[in-house]
Amino acid sequence: HHHLAHQLKSWTSYGEEVLDQIQFLIVDDSSAPGHTAADFLQANYDLSESLDIVIYKIDQNLMWNIGGARNLGFWMANTPWIFMSDTDTQVAPETMNYILNKAKKPKVYTFFQRLRDSGFKPHPAVMLIRKLDYWKVGGCDEDFVGSYGWTDPHFRYKVQEDPTLNAIKAHKEMDELEITPLREMSDDIECPDSIICLETFHGEKAPKEPEKNEAKFDKKSRKGKWSSNKKSRKGKWSNEVLRFTWRKVRWQK
């Protein structure tokens, strides 16, 4: 996919004042050789060299390692605030200004407004949260690695259930202030102009149905109660994180 290419083009459009406050941390979840984030940035070095970008690459190819990748990002981040996002989610310059202005008070911002092919729908996973608060609720539960689609709603549930955290849904204010919504890019998006894109890697696709650690989110429950194949219990989730090895990738000349 060409998601990172569009991200780079977007990042280079941010003003100097914004870029001075940001470090871009990329977790490369075991991309194939020749198709890594570092390969792409090196191919576009003239554009990427001025940005503060760090890359951590996971060594093992784990199915649906979303929680592990998020945990690694928060483990290695050196800033007090982190905007947790996905590769296919693009943030406009004015929206990044909005996000930076929110990173001042000890609150958690969820459900940022998003525009996708089917229309407007707040993003269920993107979040602005302090590193301290992320680990306060235990980070993402890596028992869900190997299963698709449950990591992010489960983490958000833990945040919302913590009485010491003030979780705020951002989409209503974004609509009122006419803040540009996040843009969800399609998988078949074309390579943008002025960017060198790597050949798309058609590797083995992960199954979209849970294989193990099957879990179900009961949306009808007021408290968002979770039930799973492990003993269902409130507030007692796995705290074993980073069940893999990784390394920092040096991509700059």
Side-chain angles (χ1 to χ4, degrees), residues 217-225:
F217 185 54
D218 182 4
K219 295 182 179 179
K220 295 182 180 180
S221 171
R222 291 180 181 178
K223 296 183 179 180
K225 184 178 180 181

Side-chain angles (χ1 to χ4, degrees), residues 80 84 93 116 130 169-170 181 213 243:
M84 180 173 70
R116 56 196 320 195
R130 296 189 303 171
K169 296 180 180 180
N213 301 327
R243 308 175 189 181

Side-chain angles (χ1 to χ4, degrees), residues 20 28 32 64 84 102 158 185 249:
D20 285 343
D28 187 330
W64 302 116
M84 180 173 70
K102 292 297 181 185
K158 292 197 296 181
M185 295 177 278
V249 179

Side-chain angles (χ1 to χ4, degrees), residues 147-172:
S147 299
Y148 174 78
W150 303 109
T151 298
D152 291 321
H154 173 238
F155 177 73
R156 188 178 66 250
Y157 164 74
K158 292 197 296 181
V159 169
Q160 293 172 337
E161 288 295 299
D162 190 314
T164 67
L165 299 181
N166 186 4
I168 297 175
K169 296 180 180 180
H171 64 94
K172 291 183 179 179

Side-chain angles (χ1 to χ4, degrees), residues 36-210:
T36 67
D39 293 329
F40 169 76
L41 293 178
Q42 288 171 348
N44 293 276
Y45 195 77
D46 289 346
L47 289 174
S48 59
E49 65 172 330
S50 62
L51 301 176
D52 186 0
I53 301 176
V54 294
I55 303 174
Y56 292 94
K57 191 173 191 303
I58 296 174
D59 294 324
Q60 293 77 28
N61 185 14
L62 304 175
M63 290 290 190
W64 302 116
N65 190 27
I66 298 170
R70 297 212 192 286
N71 286 340
L72 178 57
F74 274 83
W75 188 266
M76 301 307 300
N78 59 11
T79 57
W81 281 91
I82 299 169
F83 181 65
M84 180 173 70
S85 189
D86 296 327
T87 311
D88 65 353
T89 303
Q90 196 172 29
V91 184
E94 59 271 24
T95 309
M96 184 53 69
N97 269 311
Y98 171 80
I99 293 168
L100 289 172
N101 288 331
K102 292 297 181 185
K104 296 176 181 179
K105 297 181 179 180
K107 298 179 181 180
V108 180
Y109 294 91
T110 65
F111 284 108
F112 284 79
Q113 187 60 284
R114 166 186 58 169
L115 177 61
R116 56 196 320 195
D117 290 342
S118 58
F120 291 95
K121 186 176 182 180
H123 202 298
V126 170
M127 186 178 296
L128 176 65
I129 184 171
R130 296 189 303 171
K131 181 175 182 177
L132 176 70
D133 293 332
Y134 180 89
W135 292 116
K136 184 177 183 181
V137 297
C140 289
D141 190 333
E142 292 184 32
D143 277 1
F144 292 108
V145 172
S147 299
Y148 174 78
W150 303 109
T151 298
D152 291 321
H154 173 238
F155 177 73
R156 188 178 66 250
Y157 164 74
K158 292 197 296 181
V159 169
Q160 293 172 337
E161 288 295 299
D162 190 314
T164 67
L165 299 181
N166 186 4
I168 297 175
K169 296 180 180 180
H171 64 94
K172 291 183 179 179
E173 184 180 67
M174 290 179 68
D175 290 343
E176 292 172 357
L177 298 178
E178 297 184 348
I179 303 296
T180 303
L182 308 178
R183 176 197 177 203
E184 181 178 289
M185 295 177 278
S186 63
D187 288 345
D188 59 355
I189 192 169
E190 297 292 332
C191 180
D193 295 335
S194 72
I195 301 290
I196 299 173
C197 289
L198 305 180
E199 183 181 351
T200 302
F201 177 67
H202 298 285
E204 182 179 336
K205 294 184 178 180
K208 291 193 174 183
E209 293 298 327

